[in-house]
Amino acid sequence: MAKRRVIQVGTGSRGVAYRDAVAFDFPDSVELVGLCDANPGRIALYQADLRARGLDIPGATPDQLETLIRRQRADLVIVTSMDSTHDEYVIRTLKAGCDVICEKPLTTTAEKLKAIRTAIQETGRSVRVTFNMRYSPVRMQVKRLLLEGIIGR
C-alpha cells in the first residue's frame, strides 16, 4: 500500500499526539507533508520541534489550505483545530480531493453535520472521527474505578 501524504490542520496541544504519530511512529504508512493553522506562531513552534528532530515541514494559513494540499500532493488531512472550525476544514478538504481524519467532535451543530454529509456524498471521500484519549491507560483506569464504585458514582 502506498504511503499516505498527510497535512495536519490545527497545531495546538491537542494535535501533538497526531503530529508525532504521523511524523515518527508510522513511517512506513504515512508521511507528514504540511501544517496549517490560523496562528503562525503555533505553526512555527511545531516546525521548530520537527526541525530539531530532522524534519522540515512547510506551513500555511487557512486561506492557503487548498494550495498546500495541491502543492504537497496530500491525500489525507488530519483536523485537530478548534471544534467550531472542524466543519469548515473537513468540507474544504473533501472538496480538495482528500480523505479526512477529524478529532472529536466532528462538528458542533446539526446544520454543520448536514453540510459535511453533503460534502461526503458529493465527493465520495471518507471521514473518520477519532477518540484519541478514550482508551489511554489512565482514562481506562478511571472508568474501571467508577464502574466498580471505588471513587464514587
Side-chain angles (χ1 to χ4, degrees):
M1 189 163 115
K3 189 184 287 197
R4 305 286 311 259
R5 296 179 58 80
V6 179
I7 289 173
Q8 183 172 338
V9 176
T11 56
S13 60
R14 186 184 294 183
V16 171
Y18 293 92
R19 178 200 69 192
D20 289 350
V22 172
F24 305 109
D25 295 343
F26 302 98
D28 293 336
S29 57
V30 290
E31 177 183 6
L32 185 62
V33 298
L35 301 167
C36 180
D37 199 289
N39 183 330
R42 284 200 309 244
I43 293 174
L45 287 173
Y46 262 48
Q47 288 173 318
D49 188 40
L50 291 164
R51 251 191 311 279
R53 297 191 272 169
L55 295 176
D56 187 23
I57 307 298
T61 55
D63 60 312
Q64 302 166 324
L65 177 59
E66 289 82 357
T67 301
L68 182 64
I69 288 170
R70 278 191 310 277
R71 186 176 61 231
Q72 296 304 105
R73 298 179 329 278
D75 57 347
L76 177 65
V77 171
I78 298 176
V79 177
T80 62
S81 60
M82 293 186 312
D83 297 349
S84 62
T85 65
H86 286 183
D87 64 301
E88 173 191 347
Y89 295 124
V90 168
I91 291 168
R92 289 174 59 194
T93 295
L94 293 169
K95 290 181 177 182
C98 292
D99 294 327
V100 178
I101 295 175
C102 186
E103 170 61 29
K104 67 163 177 49
L106 177 57
T107 192
T108 56
T109 70
E111 294 77 26
K112 291 178 177 184
L113 182 59
K114 289 176 185 175
I116 291 171
R117 184 171 188 258
T118 298
I120 292 169
Q121 291 170 333
E122 289 174 353
T123 64
R125 305 304 305 190
S126 72
V127 175
R128 290 187 175 91
V129 180
T130 64
F131 298 88
N132 67 324
M133 300 303 262
R134 181 170 286 178
Y135 300 105
S136 70
V138 170
R139 282 150 188 86
M140 289 178 69
Q141 182 178 14
V142 169
K143 181 179 180 182
R144 183 184 59 76
L145 293 172
L146 286 170
L147 290 174
E148 293 175 1
I150 294 170
I151 60 174
R153 293 173 45 128

